[in-house]
Amino acid sequence: MEKVFETKNVEQTEKLGVSLGKLLSKGDFLALTGDLGAGKTAFTRGISKGLGIDHPVTSPTFTIINEYHGPVALAHMDAYRLKTLEELENIGFDDYLEDFIIVMEWADKVKEMLPDDVLWIDFKVLGENRRQIRFTTKSPHYDRIIQELSI
């Protein structure tokens, strides 16, 4: 299944993330791809709010993984700077798969290590503030989730 949204500003991108966050549960994996500066971190900020996490979300580009704890734990990962799959293994990637909701930016760089059941979310810059956000899945679990999304 595929569902596409167009947001007109950062607030709408974040609001879409809030909508998604309210529908997620432990063990869910979101694989984010797309243009640099397209709103992946703003979207993740919305997801954390939807999960009830009261912590400022920042880009994990240099830390690789940021953990946020609330009613459900969120692991915000960024594969942009990884040079090998082993680097992801060495930072304990597998330890997050069961007990966290994982949002991974630049997930296409480590596709071989991802679980089979993931929700792919691609971000495309359409203009100064406009973004296209495309959700793609082959999973009945994520099909149900993206059907309920709204801005």
Side-chain angles (χ1 to χ4, degrees):
M1 170 179 262
E2 182 175 279
K3 191 167 184 178
V4 179
F5 291 87
E6 185 177 316
T7 60
K8 296 177 180 17
N9 53 48
V10 172
E11 292 79 19
Q12 280 190 339
T13 298
E14 194 171 305
K15 187 176 178 184
L16 184 59
V18 171
S19 176
L20 179 58
K22 291 178 179 178
L23 301 170
L24 297 175
S25 55
K26 184 170 70 169
D28 283 342
F29 196 110
L30 310 179
L32 279 52
T33 61
D35 299 336
L36 188 64
K40 293 182 284 292
T41 299
F43 182 76
T44 304
R45 188 169 43 248
I47 290 171
S48 73
K49 288 179 183 177
L51 291 171
I53 296 172
D54 187 28
H55 245 284
V57 171
T58 58
S59 174
T61 298
F62 295 100
T63 58
I64 310 299
I65 300 174
N66 289 338
E67 291 183 20
Y68 302 98
H69 296 275
V72 180
L74 171 67
H76 183 197
M77 302 180 178
D78 190 323
Y80 185 76
R81 296 172 49 89
L82 297 178
K83 292 179 180 40
T84 66
L85 295 176
E86 290 74 30
E87 286 181 83
L88 189 57
E89 278 180 25
N90 292 340
I91 57 175
F93 172 72
D94 291 338
D95 298 336
Y96 289 92
L97 294 175
E98 289 183 28
D99 295 327
F100 285 76
I101 291 170
I102 297 176
V103 176
M104 179 182 279
E105 297 186 29
W106 304 98
D108 48 330
K109 290 190 68 170
V110 294
K111 192 174 187 175
E112 301 87 351
M113 287 192 62
L114 302 186
D116 293 331
D117 192 18
V118 301
L119 175 57
W120 288 94
I121 307 170
D122 185 66
F123 292 75
K124 184 176 183 180
V125 174
L126 298 177
E128 185 174 332
N129 294 308
R130 293 177 40 241
R131 303 295 186 259
Q132 176 183 285
I133 304 172
R134 180 183 310 274
F135 296 80
T136 309
T137 179
K138 295 178 182 169
S139 157
H141 169 69
Y142 292 120
D143 284 351
R144 285 188 299 276
I145 288 174
I146 64 175
Q147 286 174 355
E148 294 185 43
L149 288 180
S150 64
I151 296 180

